[in-house]
Amino acid sequence: MNKVRTIDTHTHILTMETAALLSKAAPKVPVTITPTDAESAVLDVGGTVYRPFPTGGFDIACRLRDMDATGVDVHVLSVTPQTYLYNQEPTLAAVLSAIQNDQLAKHIAAHPDRFMGIATLPMQDPVRAADELKRAMTKLGLKGTMFASNIMGKNLDDPSFEPLWATAEELNAFLFIHPNNVAGADRLRSYYLQNLI
């Protein structure tokens, strides 16, 4: 009888190598990770600081130990929402998405029994997003995509996203909507609702 595998579908990753590649490609939006102790670090994306950033979020060996300790067999890797960078120019955003997706594929190739992945996309340009989804799934072996619930003020039913949805349907892509800058967040702060609705 086969053992049932435990799969966590919501697991962000941003290694120091990936941060360095993003900073090189977009020096005006540097990405740095500065460890503060054995358990966490400070993540800085273009001058916006996020803390704490857990060590398992950037250290693969630590992540694997955490997975073993909690009985999780597989992580579906996705990039951190801080590096969606939807406010960047579309051509640059496409490059930054490709860098991160290539890095996800690299981690999966190194640990194929422990990791799967879903792509990040340059959502500010839905045609480029559709192209990157196709590349990520057909060339890199990623299973779909994760994107924010608010794309620069546009709802996901905006007609401009139709090329992406058509490609996702064609590829049978797994779509994960991540709460990020949610509409009406000022009214949802109680009980952490801004991250649930």
Side-chain angles (χ1 to χ4, degrees):
M1 182 174 193
N2 290 336
K3 176 186 175 284
V4 175
R5 294 195 306 165
T6 302
I7 301 173
D8 188 340
T9 61
H10 188 180
T11 65
H12 301 298
I13 189 161
L14 174 62
T15 64
M16 290 190 182
E17 178 184 15
T18 304
L21 291 169
L22 292 172
S23 294
K24 183 176 180 184
K28 292 183 179 177
V29 192
V31 179
T32 61
I33 301 166
T34 307
T36 52
D37 55 41
E39 296 182 1
S40 64
V42 174
L43 171 62
D44 186 321
V45 180
T48 302
V49 175
Y50 304 90
R51 64 169 65 92
F53 185 49
T55 301
F58 62 89
D59 182 303
I60 298 290
C62 178
R63 175 181 293 260
L64 292 169
R65 287 192 302 272
D66 290 347
M67 290 169 68
D68 291 340
T70 56
V72 175
D73 299 306
V74 178
H75 272 183
V76 179
L77 302 177
S78 58
V79 308
T80 61
Q82 294 89 347
T83 60
Y84 289 166
L85 300 172
Y86 296 152
N87 61 342
Q88 298 301 304
E89 185 273 323
T91 302
L92 176 60
V95 169
L96 300 175
S97 292
I99 287 170
Q100 294 188 89
N101 294 335
D102 290 345
Q103 288 291 103
L104 290 177
K106 178 180 171 181
H107 303 316
I108 294 162
H111 303 279
D113 57 329
R114 304 305 302 271
F115 297 147
M116 293 187 284
I118 49 179
T120 190
L121 304 174
M123 294 292 287
Q124 59 270 64
D125 185 331
V127 172
R128 281 189 170 101
D131 291 344
E132 180 59 15
L133 178 62
K134 189 170 222 172
R135 184 188 80 89
M137 292 185 69
T138 62
K139 305 272 196 242
L140 302 180
L142 302 185
K143 305 301 183 187
T145 180
M146 177 184 282
F147 48 86
S149 55
N150 175 348
I151 314 298
M152 302 299 291
K154 286 185 180 178
N155 292 328
L156 298 178
D157 65 349
D158 190 285
S160 67
F161 292 117
E162 286 305 315
L164 175 58
W165 307 146
T167 298
E169 185 174 9
E170 173 192 326
L171 296 169
N172 198 27
F174 174 75
L175 303 180
F176 191 123
I177 302 171
H178 193 286
N180 195 50
N181 297 323
V182 296
D186 56 320
R187 292 175 283 145
L188 301 173
R189 296 196 193 286
S190 297
Y191 309 105
Y192 205 58
L193 291 178
Q194 76 269 20
N195 210 32
L196 295 174
I197 298 177

